[in-house]
Amino acid sequence: MLKAIIYKEWIKIKKVSLFLLLIGVLIVIGIYSNVRHELIIKDAESYWNGILQQRTIYFSVLKFIPLIVGLLIAVAQFVPEIVDKRIKLTLHLPTNEETIVLKMVLFGFFCTASILAVFMGMFLGMGSYFFPQEIVWVSFLTTAPWFLAGVAAYFLVSFIVLEPLWKQRIFYMLFGAAFLGIFFKGRFPGSNEYLLWPFVGLIACISIATLFSIYRFRKGEM
Amino acid sequence: MLPKLSRYLLVFVAIFTMGYVLPSIYKTFFDVRISSPSFSYSVLHKKFYASKYVDGQNRFTDMEGNEYTREEYMDELPINNFYYHLGKGTLPDSIMGIKLNPGQLRQENFYQGTAAMEFAMPDYELNPLFESASDFGITLPKDVFRVKDRMEFVVAKTNEVDEAKSEEYTKALKDKGFVFPAKVLGGIPSFMKSRDDGWFIQDSNLQLFHLKMVKDKPEVNRINIPEGFKIRKIICNDHAAREFYATIVTEDNKIYLLMTEDYNIQPLPIEDFDADRQTMVMGGNLFYKTVILMDEAFTKVYVIDREFNKVDELKEELPLKSEMTIGKVEQFLFPFSITLNKSTSLFTGVYMKKYVSWSWAILSAVLVIVTLVLIKRNNRSFKNNILDIILVFFTGIFGFIAVHMFPNKEY
């Protein structure tokens, strides 16, 4: 059963996942091509001084990429399910419907997290070629909430797409926008050190939100 | 069971989000400006004067409530406003028997400020060591240093450690008794300064050292400090008078000056500094230093003479927002508020403010009644909604929105 679910979900998100992976990889390469260019045309110490003393963020372009990844994967995975209410078919399979939905979400989360992990790995790996560990560590602390926002966006969008009523969906979109906004509140490189675990906790809370939508769907909210 | 759990987790996240968003919207629309007066101490009259921005205009008073015009105010404070008097040709020849020399006044005049957030900010712990005896001004070095298990210089161009230089400086520090790693570092990492005095470094044995690069070679001096002198921050300066290298704030919130002449650690007679909450502004002239401590609740000014004795002090309470209409309405509307940023730290975090007043309970009670009416109207059982009702009472408007946004329907 798990294999069948994975196959079905992969068919839906394969194209978008590979496309997003490619775009993200190109963006990370683009960031460090720019760094390399700056280090060549400027004095390297001035460029470092900009980062260390003036707190320049050389990777701002990355800010909303993870969010877009989470959002698009959730849309690709769950919008086909609500067209003509196809999710009904899945929910009528002779097995526990909550388990099926959780497996679907788990697979989507796994794909989102894998793509984001590739970006983060590349970003930090290439960073350590150009910069010392202190700069790489602060870059990680600065970008980590952006990546967590991507995971949060995946869970939220899955939950919102599967919500049966448009009126509720609009409320949830407003709530989702406000919630995702908190992941972008850091105003200084490295300032999010103490907020990462609370973010992880909040994401854990919304990770099973889809069950709430499915419950309402199953009970006939239309 | 799981759908119910997922609903309560969503309600929890919604309460958290509302607790952040709604007070923030409220403040955006209704926040008021509290302008704290600027205080100056007159060398001429030995008393404080205040300049305050009221209704779009500057008002000048003394502490007895006498009002002054701007010109009178400038005349009462000739040293504080000596540029104005120099321009007008009205600078007195002497004050307190001391002849006033414009060059000396300029040199002795200084101003420095340190906000609480500078004590709580992320730090890369990589700094430049400038050439202190440069013949061609101050330029950025090709490397930055860290002081962990040894002193290491990382070259920017190659991102590699300069082993020879690292060895040389590590040895110079060890020869003077430095025990790695460093606990606190103080210096001016910018090249926008008039001179370079290197870095002051406290080691893991609480010893203090002064490190400079002089003609490409390390120069290390050990500074005698009291036993158990736990430094929190070393605030260096490049004041023209060169009276002191740095202002040192210790873990127990005492303020000291590290004197240039003999590395003496000079305590300042200030007892109630709180580095986590207050901004400290220090100014000085030929006659006195003033140290101003500012936080939300008050401004306190100390006047200190050249022998570091306290001459006078002043404390001015500021109006608290919690006692103004904006604060009272806020406490009525919200049982608590959450912020992610605060003015005293550059670290984000979940900063929760619980209000002292219980006035929010009135609105909570009303919202509980509305919730009960809605439950009854929808023919839902009270028993299944007890947790919702408790949540609405204790989290007020946040919980009310959350439990209704994620309806607890019984099918």
Side-chain angles (χ1 to χ4, degrees):
Chain A
M1 179 58 103
L2 182 65
K3 260 186 173 176
I5 291 175
I6 290 175
Y7 182 66
K8 175 171 85 84
E9 299 308 304
W10 179 238
I11 289 174
K12 285 187 285 178
I13 63 173
K14 185 170 74 178
K15 279 186 187 162
V16 73
S17 297
L18 295 176
F19 174 73
L20 289 168
L21 183 67
L22 180 71
I23 295 290
V25 166
L26 289 177
I27 286 174
V28 176
I29 292 173
I31 289 170
Y32 286 106
S33 303
N34 189 44
V35 167
R36 185 179 161 274
H37 175 252
E38 292 283 318
L39 289 172
I40 290 169
I41 60 157
K42 278 185 193 168
D43 291 332
E45 59 271 22
S46 306
Y47 192 68
W48 278 33
N49 185 57
I51 294 170
L52 296 171
Q53 308 306 335
Q54 289 148 39
R55 315 278 170 166
T56 311
I57 295 177
Y58 64 91
F59 43 81
S60 321
V61 68
L62 205 59
K63 195 166 190 174
F64 298 108
I65 303 297
L67 183 79
I68 294 169
V69 170
L71 197 142
L72 288 185
I73 289 184
V75 167
Q77 191 181 2
F78 291 105
V79 167
E81 296 287 351
I82 58 156
V83 175
D84 300 330
K85 307 218 181 316
R86 285 175 198 153
I87 189 82
K88 270 186 183 172
L89 288 175
T90 310
L91 299 179
H92 280 103
L93 289 171
T95 182
N96 184 310
E97 50 208 27
E98 284 161 8
T99 315
I100 293 184
V101 172
L102 281 180
K103 281 175 182 166
M104 289 165 74
V105 172
L106 193 66
F107 179 72
F109 162 69
F110 174 76
C111 289
T112 309
S114 303
I115 293 171
L116 296 182
V118 170
F119 294 175
M120 186 59 115
M122 271 187 73
F123 173 66
L124 300 180
M126 292 178 76
S128 58
Y129 175 77
F130 292 101
F131 300 116
Q133 64 198 40
E134 288 86 347
I135 294 182
V136 176
W137 173 243
V138 170
S139 305
F140 166 75
L141 291 176
T142 310
T143 51
W146 306 346
F147 281 82
L148 290 174
V151 177
Y154 170 76
F155 287 129
L156 272 177
V157 175
S158 317
F159 147 73
I160 294 169
V161 170
L162 288 177
E163 160 60 41
L165 291 182
W166 262 108
K167 188 187 86 182
Q168 293 297 113
R169 248 186 225 153
I170 289 167
F171 282 129
Y172 296 162
M173 280 185 213
L174 290 172
F175 153 69
F179 176 66
L180 290 174
I182 65 173
F183 289 82
F184 298 94
K185 288 292 166 190
R187 52 186 174 170
F188 206 73
S191 63
N192 297 309
E193 195 173 342
Y194 305 117
L195 207 50
L196 295 183
W197 286 113
F199 279 156
V200 170
L202 288 169
I203 290 171
C205 287
I206 57 163
S207 63
I208 56 166
T210 328
L211 293 181
F212 181 63
S213 302
I214 289 300
Y215 176 71
R216 286 164 53 72
F217 194 94
R218 210 175 56 203
K219 296 293 178 188
E221 287 284 359
M222 305 264 170
Chain B
M1 183 62 197
L2 269 178
K4 218 175 174 72
L5 175 69
S6 68
R7 174 181 178 265
Y8 279 112
L9 290 175
L10 276 168
V11 166
F12 168 75
V13 175
I15 289 172
F16 177 88
T17 309
M18 296 296 155
Y20 165 70
V21 171
L22 295 184
S24 147
I25 292 174
Y26 174 78
K27 282 200 185 97
T28 306
F29 282 102
F30 303 109
D31 211 358
V32 288
R33 171 179 165 174
I34 294 179
S35 56
S36 54
S38 155
F39 296 103
S40 304
Y41 186 77
S42 170
V43 175
L44 212 56
H45 303 289
K46 306 277 182 289
K47 65 177 189 176
F48 287 101
Y49 291 81
S51 152
K52 194 174 182 184
Y53 192 75
V54 183
D55 300 330
Q57 282 190 327
N58 281 314
R59 280 181 60 200
F60 305 98
T61 60
D62 58 21
M63 293 305 109
E64 287 83 50
N66 303 313
E67 295 228 7
Y68 298 85
T69 63
R70 183 184 284 271
E71 285 71 24
E72 287 167 343
Y73 176 78
M74 299 301 245
D75 290 343
E76 299 289 303
L77 296 152
I79 298 299
N80 308 60
N81 303 300
F82 78 90
Y83 279 110
Y84 164 84
H85 289 289
L86 272 179
K88 276 185 71 178
T90 51
L91 187 73
D93 288 338
S94 65
I95 290 180
M96 291 164 63
I98 295 173
K99 197 165 173 355
L100 298 185
N101 170 342
Q104 196 184 7
L105 282 175
R106 222 175 265 130
Q107 184 174 313
E108 293 294 330
N109 204 41
F110 77 86
Y111 180 87
Q112 65 181 57
T114 311
M117 63 166 64
E118 291 176 53
F119 286 80
M121 63 189 283
D123 188 5
Y124 284 101
E125 295 178 344
L126 287 173
N127 290 294
L129 180 66
F130 295 96
E131 171 59 58
S132 293
S134 169
D135 298 323
F136 307 103
I138 297 173
T139 51
L140 266 178
K142 301 284 179 198
D143 47 29
V144 290
F145 73 88
R146 60 167 78 99
V147 192
K148 298 276 166 65
D149 295 336
R150 61 173 187 154
M151 185 160 185
E152 267 182 353
F153 290 85
V154 187
V155 181
K157 189 92 186 160
T158 58
N159 189 27
E160 283 172 359
V161 174
D162 182 337
E163 286 296 340
K165 190 172 178 183
S166 302
E167 283 299 316
E168 186 185 10
Y169 278 78
T170 301
K171 186 175 178 307
L173 280 166
K174 277 188 173 168
D175 286 350
K176 291 281 180 176
F178 190 94
V179 182
F180 288 91
K183 267 192 161 349
V184 186
L185 276 95
I188 304 177
S190 166
F191 58 89
M192 305 286 280
K193 53 185 174 182
S194 56
R195 63 172 186 277
D196 178 67
D197 288 326
W199 289 83
F200 296 90
I201 311 174
Q202 188 168 42
D203 72 359
S204 55
N205 276 5
L206 302 183
Q207 308 173 96
L208 186 61
F209 295 84
H210 185 192
L211 169 72
K212 288 202 286 189
M213 177 162 69
V214 179
K215 299 291 175 198
D216 274 338
K217 292 285 164 206
E219 186 182 294
V220 183
N221 288 314
R222 197 172 145 168
I223 300 169
N224 286 325
I225 54 172
E227 188 84 7
F229 193 70
K230 288 187 182 165
I231 297 176
R232 181 146 182 219
K233 194 168 181 66
I234 303 169
I235 306 153
C236 291
N237 66 70
D238 69 337
H239 302 325
R242 293 188 176 219
E243 185 189 7
F244 57 101
Y245 279 123
T247 310
I248 294 177
V249 178
T250 52
E251 291 284 354
D252 57 355
N253 280 319
K254 298 281 187 292
I255 306 171
Y256 299 83
L257 301 183
L258 174 59
M259 307 309 289
T260 307
E261 198 183 343
D262 51 5
Y263 285 130
N264 181 33
I265 302 279
Q266 175 64 52
L268 293 185
I270 292 161
E271 298 302 324
D272 45 5
F273 177 51
D274 181 352
D276 291 321
R277 292 178 49 213
Q278 296 168 347
T279 293
M280 173 180 60
V281 175
M282 194 188 296
N285 57 43
L286 189 58
F287 298 90
Y288 298 117
K289 288 180 181 54
T290 51
V291 177
I292 304 173
L293 308 179
M294 293 183 283
D295 70 10
E296 274 181 4
F298 64 82
T299 299
K300 192 160 183 182
V301 190
Y302 292 88
V303 181
I304 297 162
D305 68 13
R306 299 292 297 209
E307 277 72 49
F308 302 100
N309 301 308
K310 186 166 74 184
V311 173
D312 206 345
E313 69 175 72
L314 169 80
K315 185 173 180 181
E316 178 89 352
E317 307 279 344
L318 295 174
L320 288 174
K321 278 187 191 168
S322 58
E323 288 164 13
M324 299 162 78
T325 312
I326 176 193
K328 286 180 179 159
V329 174
E330 190 181 352
Q331 291 175 56
F332 173 76
L333 289 175
F334 311 123
F336 59 89
S337 69
I338 293 169
T339 54
L340 301 176
N341 292 310
K342 62 176 180 177
S343 61
T344 52
S345 172
L346 275 169
F347 285 106
T348 51
V350 179
Y351 302 115
M352 195 164 160
K353 188 163 108 184
K354 188 87 191 73
Y355 299 114
V356 191
S357 154
W358 277 78
S359 56
W360 57 269
I362 300 167
L363 181 62
S364 283
V366 172
L367 294 172
V368 165
I369 293 167
V370 174
T371 307
L372 289 170
V373 170
L374 288 172
I375 290 170
K376 179 121 183 69
R377 211 175 65 180
N378 295 329
N379 290 323
R380 284 149 58 195
S381 77
F382 289 118
K383 204 181 104 193
N384 285 347
N385 289 284
I386 282 178
L387 193 51
D388 279 15
I389 292 162
I390 294 170
L391 277 173
V392 171
F393 183 74
F394 284 104
T395 62
I397 194 161
F398 310 139
F400 180 77
I401 295 173
V403 300
H404 290 95
M405 188 159 62
F406 303 103
N408 189 17
K409 281 203 176 174
E410 295 144 31
Y411 296 98

